[in-house]
Amino acid sequence: MAVERTLSIIKPDATTRNLTGKINAKFEDAGLRIVAQKRIQLTKAQAGEFYAVHKERPFYDELCEFMASAPVVVQVLEGEGAIAKNRDVMGATNPADAAAGTIRAEFAESVGENSVHGSDAPETAAEEIAYFFSGLELVG
């Protein structure tokens, strides 16, 4: 399996509950390295641009409001099969369906406030990483 990079976002519901370290430990325990990381406050417009793929979905406005409601931690994770591994560590979007020990099973408050975001494919990962980071910031 190839070494990949993927974008991870620790969402407002998790940052406001001071869970960044606990979530990062789960990534690192799974063999993922954090090669870039920063805490930022998104505007609603920035969240809207990032989540533009969901613009026609009924939850889009609520998602953008939520993502701009408090700081987030954006980061790049690297490792063997990082995209799939990250998604396994995150767990199902609905925390009720997430496997025990996953981030969402342990920390998510609801389907909408599910603590983390992760890229779903190599192409998406490349676009999402470029949205938040310049090449100089990737120091793995």
Side-chain angles (χ1 to χ4, degrees):
M1 192 171 282
V3 172
E4 297 175 325
R5 287 183 171 168
T6 188
L7 183 81
S8 168
I9 301 176
I10 301 176
K11 294 181 177 182
D13 63 296
T15 63
T16 58
R17 291 181 291 142
N18 219 20
L19 297 173
T20 302
K22 289 179 181 178
I23 290 171
N24 282 341
K26 287 195 170 285
F27 294 136
E28 292 178 333
D29 289 347
L32 295 166
R33 290 182 344 121
I34 300 167
V35 298
Q37 181 181 67
K38 56 189 168 186
R39 184 179 181 96
I40 61 173
Q41 176 75 52
L42 292 171
T43 65
K44 187 176 177 188
Q46 289 167 327
E49 184 178 338
F50 181 77
Y51 284 108
V53 66
H54 298 303
K55 192 171 181 89
E56 301 305 318
R57 299 239 175 134
F59 60 82
Y60 175 76
D61 285 332
E62 184 178 341
L63 173 62
C64 295
E65 286 283 342
F66 167 63
M67 291 300 290
S69 69
V72 297
V73 174
V74 293
Q75 54 195 8
V76 178
L77 306 177
E78 180 181 81
E80 294 280 330
I83 296 165
K85 189 176 288 186
N86 179 40
R87 295 186 72 76
D88 286 344
V89 172
M90 290 190 308
T93 302
N94 183 341
D97 299 332
T102 63
I103 292 168
R104 289 176 173 150
E106 290 189 25
F107 304 124
E109 298 185 309
S110 67
V111 174
E113 295 184 8
N114 61 20
S115 299
V116 284
H117 164 92
S119 305
D120 62 2
E123 302 79 24
T124 310
E127 291 172 15
E128 291 181 346
I129 289 167
Y131 186 83
F132 290 108
F133 295 96
S134 74
L136 293 174
E137 295 175 293
L138 304 174
V139 294

